[in-house]
Amino acid sequence: MAIKRKVIKSSSIGESRRPRGKSLVWGVLILVCKVLGIAFLVQGFILQLATGILYYGMLHYAIGAIFGIIAWHLHKKKCEACAMK
C-alpha cells in the first residue's frame, strides 16, 4: 500500500522537474526563431518579386532557412527533455 502511494505521488501531472521560467525562456526563444525565419523568407520572396532577379532574395531565403532550422532543432531538443521526465 505504501509503495502504490509513493508511485502515484511521484507521477502527479502537475509536477515538473524543470522550473517554469526556464521552459518559458525556451518557448520564447523558439517562437522568436520561427517568426524571424518566416519574416526573412517572406522578405526574400518580396525582394525577388520586386526586382525580378532571383539572387536579390537568396540571402534572405538562406537566413530564413537557418532560423527555421534553429527553431526546429530547439523544439526537438525541448521535446526530448520533456519526454525524459
Side-chain angles (χ1 to χ4, degrees):
M1 194 66 112
I3 296 173
K4 285 184 180 179
R5 286 183 188 165
K6 193 174 193 179
V7 170
I8 291 172
K9 186 177 180 183
S10 67
S11 68
S12 67
I13 296 172
E15 265 184 50
S16 77
R17 294 179 185 173
R18 194 168 21 160
R20 285 193 178 265
K22 190 174 182 180
S23 180
L24 180 67
V25 170
W26 278 108
V28 169
L29 180 64
I30 292 169
L31 180 66
V32 167
C33 285
K34 284 181 182 179
V35 169
L36 283 174
I38 292 170
F40 272 103
L41 287 173
V42 170
Q43 190 175 14
F45 184 71
I46 298 298
L47 280 172
Q48 180 184 349
L49 286 178
T51 60
I53 301 172
L54 176 65
Y55 298 112
Y56 283 165
M58 290 304 287
L59 178 65
H60 292 276
Y61 283 136
I63 293 172
I66 290 169
F67 274 121
I69 291 168
I70 290 170
W72 177 76
H73 179 70
L74 289 174
H75 180 71
K76 285 297 209 183
K77 187 176 179 181
K78 182 181 174 190
C79 287
E80 287 174 0
C82 291
M84 289 183 175
K85 285 197 256 185

